[in-house]
């Protein structure tokens, strides 16, 4: 099975893709001297992306002070980093809404899970006054479990055996992923983001979000996503074949300074966040 996955990554035509315009925009946004007019021109090369940016910019989620009519107005009203979030939302929607039958999660549930993790992670970063870019936190939350999209295609041939072993297995189900596929979904997610030339902090989140104590370069960011993911799963959103087998890491709580009271507060925010996210995806 591992050989087949290796072949998949060697034959990039079969992997999920992001457009060349989005890749260029991601590269431009990462530069401190990026010019809004140049960025707007690049985004406008893709009519579909242009329409999506304007449409989402006018959603109740972002609540612009006045109607946004052009990409440049969106950039000037909401800011470059927020527009980057919008672009990634639009670009990854089709990928993250894929049916994950092997993981026993439908596309809508996985999409909502990813969005809520992203939203909660950003709120945790703000509430704890952490010195991390909030747009990076949101993006990391959105993409944290994207590796499941890859492994889902390999599940059908081993699903019954996987499910049988999982019933009596006490360790993390990612160990069973490694046994049956040669890779965990974290490893495949990290490989995919590397193929997309995404920043290293996003790669490390994908690789270690369920094992934050292993993160060495960006432990704070990985810990934020780990905590958000655990809370959202506890809230019943996006639970897969592994159930609640990812334990909340004491190290992650320590890295961020999250208390028991904080955890309870974050949990109570979930219904309001679901409503907030529904405003975004309803447009």
């Amino acid at each position: 099975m591992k050989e087949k996955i290796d072949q998949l990554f060697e034959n990039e035509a079969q992997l999920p893709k992001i457009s060349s315009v989005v890749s260029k925009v991601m590269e431009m946004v990462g530069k401190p001297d990026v010019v809004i007019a140049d960025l707007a021109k690049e985004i406008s090369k893709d009519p579909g992306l242009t329409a999506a940016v304007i449409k989402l910019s006018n959603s109740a989620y972002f609540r612009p002070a006045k109607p946004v009519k052009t990409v440049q107005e969106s950039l000037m009203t909401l800011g470059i980093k927020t527009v980057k979030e919008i672009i990634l939302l639009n670009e990854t929607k089709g990928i993250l809404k894929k049916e994950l039958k092997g993981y026993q999660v439908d596309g809508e549930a996985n999409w909502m899970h990813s969005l809520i993790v992203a939203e909660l992670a950003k709120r945790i970063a703000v509430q704890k006054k952490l010195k991390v870019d909030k747009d990076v936190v949101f993006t990391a939350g959105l993409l944290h479990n994207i590796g499941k999209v890859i492994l889902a295609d390999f599940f059908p041939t081993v699903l019954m055996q996987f499910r049988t072993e999982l019933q009596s297995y006490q360790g993390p189900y990612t160990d069973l992923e490694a046994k049956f596929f040669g890779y965990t979904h974290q490893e495949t997610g990290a490989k995919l983001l590397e193929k997309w030339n995404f920043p290293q902090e996003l790669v490390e989140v994908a690789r270690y979000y369920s094992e934050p104590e292993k993160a060495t370069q960006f432990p704070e960011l990985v810990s934020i996503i780990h905590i958000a993911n655990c809370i959202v799963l506890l809230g019943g959103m996006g639970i897969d074949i592994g159930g609640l087998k990812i334990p909340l890491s004491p190290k992650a709580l320590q890295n961020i300074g999250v208390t028991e009271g904080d955890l309870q507060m974050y949990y109570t925010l979930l219904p309001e966040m679901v409503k907030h996210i529904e405003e975004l995806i309803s447009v």
Side-chain angles (χ1 to χ4, degrees):
M1 196 72 78
K2 184 177 186 296
E3 291 75 18
K4 291 182 179 179
I5 296 174
D6 286 337
Q7 290 172 9
L8 179 66
F9 276 97
E10 288 172 7
N11 182 9
E12 295 185 26
Q14 298 179 0
L15 288 172
K17 300 176 184 66
I18 58 172
S19 75
S20 58
V21 171
V22 172
S23 294
K24 180 64 175 178
V25 168
M26 289 288 291
E27 179 186 338
M28 293 172 72
V29 168
K31 297 178 180 178
D33 58 348
V34 62
V35 177
I36 284 181
D38 293 342
L39 194 55
K41 184 177 179 180
E42 185 64 33
I43 295 170
S44 298
K45 290 179 180 178
D46 185 327
L49 182 59
T50 298
V53 167
I54 295 171
K55 186 178 181 182
L56 286 169
S57 295
N58 285 299
S59 70
Y61 179 90
F62 290 108
R63 294 180 173 85
K66 60 180 181 178
V68 171
K69 300 176 183 177
T70 67
V71 170
Q72 185 147 334
E73 285 181 7
S74 177
L75 288 163
M76 295 178 69
T77 302
L78 301 180
I80 291 173
K81 292 181 178 180
T82 297
V83 172
K84 187 191 83 168
E85 289 180 13
I86 291 173
I87 289 170
L88 282 172
L89 278 172
N90 181 70
E91 189 71 5
T92 59
K93 180 179 180 180
I95 299 170
L96 294 173
K97 284 188 72 172
K98 176 183 175 182
E99 297 291 323
L100 303 180
K101 292 183 179 179
Y103 283 97
Q104 299 177 349
V105 179
D106 64 40
E108 287 288 345
N110 187 56
W111 176 233
M112 179 61 80
H113 170 84
S114 300
L115 289 168
I116 297 296
V117 170
E119 175 78 5
L120 178 56
K122 188 161 68 170
R123 294 198 189 192
I124 292 172
V126 170
Q127 186 255 340
K128 302 307 291 186
K129 297 181 172 62
L130 302 174
K131 294 180 179 179
V132 290
D133 285 341
K134 307 308 178 289
D135 66 308
V136 174
V137 174
F138 187 90
T139 303
L142 184 68
L143 301 174
H144 71 284
N145 67 356
I146 198 168
K148 290 180 181 179
V149 172
I150 306 295
L151 290 191
D153 288 338
F154 295 88
F155 246 113
T157 57
V158 302
L159 180 58
M160 294 305 296
Q161 189 179 354
F162 188 100
R163 187 183 295 164
T164 299
E165 288 203 28
L166 186 63
Q167 290 176 354
S168 59
Y169 190 70
Q170 297 302 311
Y173 80 97
T174 48
D175 289 353
L176 294 183
E177 287 179 335
K179 175 182 176 179
F180 283 97
F181 304 121
Y183 290 105
T184 66
H185 73 272
Q186 293 109 301
E187 289 170 330
T188 54
K191 285 170 71 69
L192 179 60
L193 295 186
E194 284 177 335
K195 284 286 185 183
W196 287 354
N197 294 315
F198 273 24
Q200 190 58 40
E201 56 260 56
L202 300 181
V203 173
E204 182 158 285
V205 168
R207 177 65 183 84
Y208 294 122
Y209 81 89
S210 68
E211 305 168 291
E213 53 281 342
K214 293 184 178 180
T216 56
Q217 291 181 279
F218 308 97
E220 194 174 62
L221 178 61
V222 174
S223 295
I224 297 169
I225 305 306
H226 170 79
I227 294 168
N229 178 68
C230 287
I231 293 171
V232 174
L233 287 176
L234 189 61
M237 289 172 277
I239 297 177
D240 63 14
I241 193 172
L244 298 174
K245 283 183 174 286
I246 298 178
L248 187 58
S249 166
K251 180 64 174 176
L253 298 176
Q254 180 184 345
N255 285 343
I256 307 303
V258 169
T259 66
E260 184 66 30
D262 289 330
L263 291 174
Q264 293 176 10
M265 184 265 289
Y266 300 149
Y267 185 79
T268 62
L269 289 175
L270 291 179
E272 180 260 324
M273 275 191 287
V274 169
K275 183 179 179 181
H276 195 43
I277 290 296
E278 285 175 345
E279 293 176 344
L280 176 63
I281 63 178
S282 65
V283 297

